[in-house]
Amino acid sequence: MSKTLALTEQLIALDSVTPEDKGCQKTLISLLEPLGFICETMQSGEVTNLWARKGTTQPLVVFAGHTDVVPTGPAEQWKSAPFAPTHRDGKLFGRGAADMKTSIAAFVVATEEFITAHPGHKGSIGFLITSDEEGPATDGTVIVCDKLKERGEQIDYCIVGEPTSVEHLGDTIKNGRRGTMSGKLVVKGVQGHIAYPQLARNPIHLAAPAMAELVSEVWDQGNEYYLPTSWQMSNIHGGTGASNVIPGEVVIDFNFRFCTASTVEGLQQRVHAILDKHQLEYALKWTVGGQPFLTPKGELSTALAAAIRSETGIETELSTTGGTSDGRFIAKICPQVIEFGPPNASIHKIDEHIELRFIDPLKNIYRRTLENLLA
């Protein structure tokens, strides 16, 4: 059994359902300290964060990831226990196998191999690990980034081990993510008997033209790296449950997934302008879940793409699709943030897994990237 596989299984066996770490980071510290890393635990509420660094010079290359996993769902639906790493059909099964304990294990072993082969390497290597990525993400990576900013520690390159590959290991890396912003819209009307509509004001009817306009609105054209910004309704709630009552209000939940061609302020202003144009009586509460970030083609993406090519023969593609990640926090203190990890088809599912044949090549890609940047 390879070191990477053994460490992956050791981490999977720790049932670190968010925000628990369950000793994962202590395991990492026990491996990193002998390599010369100064390890610092940053506790915030129930969340455990690790900042580890070897070296004091630039450039600083950081591996970032999370030890927390999503809940297993009904354990009886798994073919093997979620936290008992199991081999079956050439795959390793267990919660966190793809998202993202294999990546973390590959980070550590790749770093060990690199330091052993290049003891006098230039620059520094860091690890930023949290147990709050799958949860609210308020006590995790953002806390560490704020602390690093306060004390002037500059990250030059960061690889986030999110599962980004699609069909084959290395076919896709993320060089950015869209922002997410939600709105809870309450449109007011006047409740009444449905047989006397002249004595009531139906908020569903009042809101419908505005909703149709919001659906058809072109928010931007996207850019070289992003698809256009999208607006989607997710929930509509109105009425008392009775078929003969006009409701007094309707509540509409919606969400923007927006690219760097738009801003939070600009999108909010345009929504309010459409609602005001239709003369609605309304209240609207906004929640910004994350800003978009983008790393244009540069030293990090080139180094990682070359490592992927050398290890797999695949010409990787840059992508900004998918949901949010902790990359949005790191991008505020690091000019080049790239996400790369194993195939993501099974993440958050029953019987989450990774193909065994991808585990050591993943480690090798991380090691080759270090060689391209620091050797």
Side-chain angles (χ1 to χ4, degrees), residues 66 130 132-133 137 141 160 162 324-331 339:
H66 59 90
T130 184
D132 186 35
E133 197 275 344
T141 298
V160 185
E162 290 291 343
T324 57
S325 78
D326 277 1
R328 67 190 188 274
F329 304 124
I330 302 169
E339 301 176 19

Side-chain angles (χ1 to χ4, degrees), residues 102-176:
T102 302
S103 294
I104 291 176
F107 286 163
V108 173
V109 180
T111 300
E112 178 186 14
E113 291 182 355
F114 172 75
I115 292 172
T116 300
H118 306 279
H121 67 83
K122 65 181 180 181
S124 305
I125 305 173
F127 282 76
L128 197 170
I129 309 295
T130 184
S131 68
D132 186 35
E133 197 275 344
E134 299 291 7
T138 54
D139 290 294
T141 298
V142 64
I143 297 294
V144 181
C145 289
D146 287 346
K147 180 66 70 175
L148 297 179
K149 184 177 180 180
E150 284 176 14
R151 58 198 197 195
E153 287 196 68
Q154 174 64 48
I155 301 175
D156 298 287
Y157 309 110
C158 181
I159 300 174
V160 185
E162 290 291 343
T164 61
S165 300
V166 182
E167 298 294 335
H168 302 284
L169 178 68
D171 59 9
T172 306
I173 62 179
K174 306 283 187 182
N175 66 320

